[in-house]
Structure formats: C-alpha cells, structure tokens
C-alpha cells in the first residue's frame, strides 16, 4: 500500500491560519456568521478554526455540529447503515451566513445532505463551504468549496486517511493512500 | 455494530443487549430530531409502511404513524373493523393484498399471540410487532426501558416492579425480557389469579403485596386491568382490586422513599393508580409517550436500513 503525506501538524497549522485569514477577510467581525462542522471529522477542524478565529475576532464565534446521516441519499444502498452522530446546533441559522466545514470534499453528496440537514434550523442568508482537502474532478453533483486547504488530484480507488490529535494520535498526519486491494 | 441482527422486530426475546443498545443510541438521535423546530428527516422517503391493526389502539398507532411521518415514509392505515376481515378473509390473504400494493414494511397488532411470527415465515416485508395478544409488545418494552435509562442513567442494577394484570399483559412479558437483558432486577406483583403460575421460572421475583413490592423497588411500572381479555372473574370487583393493589399517594408516602412511576396507558384513574400519583413529579408517564416516538423512529430506521 503506497501512501503520500499531504499534511503534518506544522503544515496543517499554517493552512488553518491561512483559511482563518480568508474567513476574516470575508466575514469581518463574524457578527452575523456561524460555523457548522460536519460530523464525524469535520467537527474537529471546525473546532480548530473556531479556536483560531477567537484569537482574531472579538465577537463570539458561534459553532455547531451537524450530522447528516438521516439526510443522506445512499440509505438502503449501503451494506450497513451509517451510525448517526450528535447534532448540536443551539442557535438558529435564520438569516445568518453559514460556513459549513468538512475535512474532505469528494463526491459532494455529504455537502448536499448537510444543506438539507441545516434547513431544520432556519433559512440561512448565505452558505459557504470550507474544506481542508478538495479531491478535484471527483464530483457527482455540482458542489464546490468556497475555501480550500489543499486541492489534490485523486483517482477513485485512492483514499484520504485522516489521523489527527483529536483522535488520540501523537501528531496530525493526513495521507493519500493507494488502495491496492481495489486497484 | 451498526445494524440489527433481524429484519423483523417480533419480540424482545429475539434481541440481545447489543441490539437494544443500538436502538437506544439511534433513538437518542431521533429524540433530538423531534425536539427541533422542523421535526422531520427524509431517511425513509422511498419506503411505504402499512399500519395493520386488527385490535384497537390509540397511543401505539398514533405513535407509529407519527414516527413514520417524521421519517418521511408513505403511510397507509388499516383497521380490521372497517375491512374485509369481517367478510372472512384470512390474515395471510389480507397482508398479501396489502403487499401487492408495493408496501415495504408492516406494523401489525393482532389479538392472536404469534400472528406476526406466522406472517414473517410467509412474506418478505419487514414486520414490526405492535402487540400480539397476551404475548409481546416489544416497542412498549423498549420505550419503557429507554425511559428508565433516561431518568436513572442506566437500567442495569435497577429494581423494577410490574404491578397489575400480569396474566393478560403483553407489556409485562416484553418488559421482563427487556429488563433482564439490560441487567435489571424484576418483580411482578398482583393478585394470585392474575399472575401466571410458572412466571417465577423466568427468574423474577413474585409478590402479592403491593406495599412490600413498592418498598423493594426503584421503579414501579403499573399496568391496567385488561377487562376485555378476561373471560372469567379473576377478582371480586374493581373496587376491591383498587383497595388492595391500587397505588395512591398515601401508600407511596408511607414508604419513606422516592419511586419512579411508569404506566404504559391507557390509565384507569382511581383503579390501578390514583390521579395524584399519575400526575406527580415522580411520574414519567408522559416522558414514556414522547420517547415512544423516538424509539419507534429508531426501530423503523434500523429495520429499513438493510440493503434493498
């Protein structure tokens, strides 16, 4: 199995700082903007981004966790159902600017489900998408990220392996893997 | 594990603690969903569910229907009182006719014990038992134990007494199975005529004195007297039953401890339970009803999730 390192802790930290600069550029004081991390792994990056933004912005950064399991379009089409995670959104998003945050953008279907899921909390004024890794040329539906940590060109049999400290790892490592058993 | 072992929910007897744990975890998520401003998710949007009720029901049927609608399933309702069952059609024919209309799941209540088990051997659709005679009522037991978990943190190690007409109660049997699988201690209490003769063979305690039973327990699940199932007289009068086995505030106050009160409904106020107990702060009767929708959503979701 071949693997190539995309991010280590140092590089990830630089990228998150850069993404936060871009967010501040567009959202200024974050007065009318909320962050929604997508379960399961988008929430870790959303936490890190919220933490970084707090050092740059005086307003409170509103952060929620959104689970899309019940909104997915592959229900009954998988061998086993996905295990749902908690949705924790204790604010309404009516007329707010929402920044959806996920680790990897691949087919775009999770993002579609997330947009469906967020409507339960109101009608947002605007929705933007922030992803750490954009797997280019892999989209099933027309969804693109507003802010991207890194764009990578992958083929379908490759996988992105995310190992981060929030999952009890010693350091952050994000890999691209050739899955030989599939190839 | 993220899926149930069986494609049907026929009884608690067929589940293990892992299955029940999965149902509870999934219900936690659905409880969150039904407390949002928009209480609906699109998970079952391509699933059609038939609620086939050969026996009367208010709570269970409404709860199932609401659960189905909150999952975006298409729902059809059938009740035997307004159907061709009166014209002599068999159970299998009735259900096969419903299935011919491309129905994916059947939620069935039937007066005959084992009716859903019989059906499961002859049809492909998922079956959820919503009560079969005096046998099992699995979704009620799941929502009862889920409510105990919610109010006490855990079911394991808790002492639960089931008071009332144990002989005719499917709720009692399903509750006994569910509570035991989750590690609770169980006692049943009622007049000797309303306690099945060999029930202690299930490994539970039996008492005929309500005060003694309540003094032992942490949680009391109080059942009504099922007069409609009683062909003969099991006790002299409801008034006498109420005097000996009715739970009222004076009785609870005399125990010097706090007991959580449950009741699967319908309540006969003043018979098995007095109003001041049913409406007291220790009663979780309405929580049970709310949890019923979340538990049924979880069951329908998990059963439907099997690959088409």
């Amino acid at each position: 199995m071949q693997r190539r390192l995309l991010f280590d802790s140092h590089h990830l930290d630089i990228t998150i700082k850069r993404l936060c600069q871009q967010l501040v550029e567009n959202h200024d004081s974050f007065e009318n903007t909320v962050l929604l991390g997508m379960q399961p792994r988008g929430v870790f990056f959303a936490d890190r981004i919220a933490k970084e933004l707090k050092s740059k912005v005086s307003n409170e950064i509103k952060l929620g966790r959104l689970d899309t399991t019940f909104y997915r379009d592959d229900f009954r089409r998988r061998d086993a159902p996905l295990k749902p995670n908690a949705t924790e959104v204790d604010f309404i998003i009516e007329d707010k600017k929402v920044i959806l945050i996920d680790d990897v953008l691949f087919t775009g279907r999770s993002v579609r489900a997330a947009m469906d899921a967020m409507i339960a909390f109101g009608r947002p004024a605007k929705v933007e998408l922030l992803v750490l890794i954009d797997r280019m040329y892999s989209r099933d539906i027309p969804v693109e990220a507003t802010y991207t940590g890194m764009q990578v060109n992958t083929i379908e049999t490759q996988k992105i392996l995310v190992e981060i400290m929030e999952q009890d790892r010693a350091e952050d490592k994000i890999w691209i893997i050739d899955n030989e058993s599939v190839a | 594990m993220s899926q149930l072992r069986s494609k049907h929910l026929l009884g608690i007897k067929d589940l293990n603690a892992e299955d029940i744990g999965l149902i509870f975890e999934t219900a936690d998520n659905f409880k969150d969903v039904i407390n949002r401003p928009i209480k609906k998710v699109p998970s079952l949007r391509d699933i059609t569910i038939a609620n086939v009720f050969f026996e009367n029901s208010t709570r269970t049927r409404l709860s199932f229907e609401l659960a189905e609608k909150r999952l975006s399933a298409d729902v059809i309702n059938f009740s035997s009182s307004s159907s061709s069952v009166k014209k002599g059609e068999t159970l299998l024919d009735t259900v096969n006719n419903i299935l011919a209309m491309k129905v994916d799941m059947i939620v069935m209540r039937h007066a005959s014990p084992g009716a859903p088990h019989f059906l499961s051997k002859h049809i492909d659709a998922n079956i959820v038992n919503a009560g079969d005679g005096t046998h099992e009522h699995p979704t009620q037991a799941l929502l009862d134990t889920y409510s105990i978990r919610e109010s006490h943190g855990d079911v394991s190690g808790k002492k639960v007494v089931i008071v009332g007409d144990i002989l005719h109660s499917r709720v009692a049997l399903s509750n006994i199975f569910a509570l035991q699988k989750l590690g609770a201690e169980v006692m049943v209490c009622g007049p000797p005529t309303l306690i099945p003769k060999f029930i202690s063979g299930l490994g539970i305690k039996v008492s005929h004195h309500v005060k003694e039973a309540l003094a032992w327990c942490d949680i009391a699940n109080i059942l009504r007297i099922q007069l409609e199932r009683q062909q003969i007289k099991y006790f002299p009068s409801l008034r006498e039953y109420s005097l000996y086995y009715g739970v009222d505030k004076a009785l609870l106050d005399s125990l010097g401890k706090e007991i959580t009160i449950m009741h699967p409904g319908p309540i006969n106020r003043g018979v098995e339970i007095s109003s001041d107990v049913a409406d007291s702060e220790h009663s979780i009767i309405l929580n049970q009803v709310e949890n019923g929708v979340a538990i049924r959503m979880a069951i329908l979701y998990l059963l439907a999730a099997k690959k088409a």
Side-chain angles (χ1 to χ4, degrees):
Chain A
M1 190 166 63
Q2 284 194 324
R3 51 167 66 186
R4 178 163 65 91
L5 190 65
L6 298 178
F7 282 105
D8 58 14
S9 290
H10 177 64
H11 189 181
L12 186 61
D13 193 39
I14 293 172
T15 302
I16 283 177
K17 286 200 166 92
R18 191 247 304 160
L19 289 168
C20 288
Q21 291 289 3
Q22 284 180 281
L23 288 173
V24 173
E25 205 172 21
N26 287 348
H27 294 270
D28 198 19
S29 65
F30 274 74
E31 199 180 337
N32 200 37
T33 302
V34 299
L35 307 180
L36 284 182
M38 285 166 60
Q39 291 277 22
R41 280 189 309 267
V43 298
F44 298 130
F45 295 106
D47 286 346
R48 289 197 192 187
I49 282 170
K51 196 176 162 199
E52 179 65 26
L53 284 173
K54 276 176 196 158
S55 67
K56 298 184 187 307
V57 177
S58 58
N59 276 327
E60 186 201 359
I61 303 291
K62 284 191 173 154
L63 170 66
R65 295 167 169 228
L66 191 66
D67 184 60
T68 63
T69 311
F70 300 135
Y71 299 85
R72 296 187 63 90
D73 58 6
D74 56 359
F75 183 66
R76 288 195 123 198
R77 291 163 182 85
R78 295 176 158 265
D79 290 329
L82 288 171
K83 214 167 184 177
N85 291 291
T87 288
E88 292 156 20
V89 183
D90 21 356
F91 42 83
I92 57 161
I93 61 170
E94 187 79 25
D95 282 333
K96 294 272 190 295
K97 290 180 191 166
V98 175
I99 301 162
L100 270 181
I101 300 173
D102 206 358
D103 56 345
V104 180
L105 174 60
F106 183 30
T107 62
R109 287 177 189 266
S110 298
V111 177
R112 188 216 59 77
M115 291 199 271
D116 214 356
M118 77 165 75
I119 300 303
F121 301 95
R123 178 183 183 271
K126 186 176 183 181
V127 182
E128 294 181 336
L129 175 63
L130 182 153
V131 295
L132 191 63
I133 294 168
D134 173 8
R135 295 181 66 170
M136 295 189 296
Y137 314 120
S138 312
R139 230 65 83 220
D140 290 348
I141 49 176
V143 168
E144 292 306 332
T146 325
Y147 311 94
T148 306
M150 181 190 284
Q151 287 189 312
V152 288
N153 199 350
T154 62
I155 53 172
E156 204 175 333
T157 52
Q158 290 176 318
K159 281 200 158 34
I160 303 288
L161 177 66
V162 180
E163 297 174 335
I164 48 175
M165 290 192 282
E166 285 86 341
Q167 297 168 316
D168 295 330
R169 305 281 176 172
E171 56 178 327
D172 302 314
K173 279 197 176 3
I174 301 178
W175 309 84
I176 182 165
I177 294 181
D178 286 323
N179 201 345
E180 282 165 356
S181 60
V182 183
Chain B
M1 192 185 73
S2 62
Q3 61 182 329
L4 297 176
R5 291 180 307 158
S6 169
K7 65 179 278 196
H8 307 296
L9 178 66
L10 302 177
I12 300 291
K13 205 173 180 181
D14 311 320
L15 301 179
N16 59 22
E18 214 178 17
D19 288 322
I20 299 175
L22 174 65
I23 293 170
F24 285 1
E25 281 173 34
T26 313
D28 286 339
N29 291 287
F30 284 122
K31 183 146 188 195
D32 174 48
V33 168
I34 60 176
N35 281 296
R36 288 180 199 163
I38 296 176
K39 302 169 176 58
K40 200 164 168 143
V41 293
S43 303
L44 301 197
R45 62 194 140 195
D46 54 353
I47 308 270
T48 306
I49 303 177
N51 297 318
V52 184
F53 279 70
F54 292 94
E55 250 192 359
N56 293 337
S57 164
T58 315
R59 216 170 326 268
T60 305
R61 185 169 165 164
L62 279 178
S63 180
F64 265 112
E65 196 171 335
L66 206 52
E68 290 152 5
K69 288 181 169 168
R70 299 231 155 119
L71 289 165
S72 304
D74 289 320
V75 181
I76 54 172
N77 287 306
F78 165 99
S79 71
S80 63
S81 57
S82 58
S83 75
S84 291
V85 173
K86 297 269 184 234
K87 301 174 192 166
E89 192 172 54
T90 66
L91 169 62
L92 195 53
D93 281 337
T94 302
V95 172
N96 270 328
N97 274 277
I98 294 170
L99 291 177
M101 299 177 217
K102 308 296 173 207
V103 169
D104 304 289
M105 298 178 85
I106 300 275
V107 174
M108 186 171 81
R109 170 167 287 190
H110 201 283
S112 300
H117 302 71
F118 163 76
L119 213 54
S120 71
K121 292 188 174 73
H122 293 91
I123 64 170
D124 282 335
N126 308 97
I127 298 169
V128 181
N129 181 2
D132 58 334
T134 55
H135 181 218
E136 280 228 44
H137 191 351
T139 56
Q140 181 69 45
L142 289 168
L143 75 89
D144 287 345
T145 42
Y146 182 79
S147 302
I148 292 173
R149 170 182 174 263
E150 188 180 65
S151 63
H152 288 73
D154 197 0
V155 181
S156 179
K158 299 292 171 300
K159 292 176 175 172
V160 184
V161 65
I162 306 171
V163 186
D165 183 354
I166 310 298
L167 184 64
H168 299 99
S169 174
R170 52 194 173 210
V171 175
L173 189 60
S174 285
N175 257 285
I176 290 168
F177 289 147
L179 288 164
Q180 285 185 328
K181 285 179 192 223
L182 295 173
E185 284 186 71
V186 190
M187 179 189 278
V188 292
C189 174
T193 50
L194 289 177
I195 305 266
K197 207 170 173 185
F198 299 107
I199 199 154
S200 56
L202 292 175
I204 58 172
K205 295 181 167 62
V206 178
S207 168
H208 303 300
H209 303 284
V210 73
K211 190 169 178 181
E212 172 190 291
L214 292 174
W216 171 82
C217 75
D218 304 310
I219 298 135
N221 196 351
I222 300 162
L223 309 180
R224 83 190 161 92
I225 296 298
Q226 305 208 18
L227 288 174
E228 75 277 16
R229 293 190 204 280
Q230 298 182 4
Q231 313 297 339
I232 57 167
K233 262 194 172 295
Y234 289 88
F235 49 84
S237 71
L238 273 182
R239 185 175 141 73
E240 186 164 329
Y241 175 83
S242 183
L243 280 171
Y244 280 96
Y245 291 97
V247 177
D248 60 20
K249 194 160 182 303
L251 176 60
L252 290 182
D253 286 347
S254 72
L255 300 171
K257 62 187 264 194
E258 284 178 6
I259 294 173
T260 302
I261 300 293
M262 302 173 69
H263 194 304
I267 297 176
N268 293 135
R269 284 175 186 261
V271 181
E272 72 274 11
I273 186 169
S274 67
S275 281
D276 47 11
V277 172
D279 304 331
S280 74
E281 56 178 325
H282 302 303
S283 154
I284 57 167
I285 296 173
L286 292 177
N287 304 50
Q288 290 173 264
V289 179
E290 181 189 345
N291 290 337
V293 177
I295 278 286
R296 289 179 175 111
M297 285 173 83
I299 289 160
L300 295 168
Y301 176 83
L302 289 168
L303 290 178
K306 302 267 182 180
K307 206 173 179 182

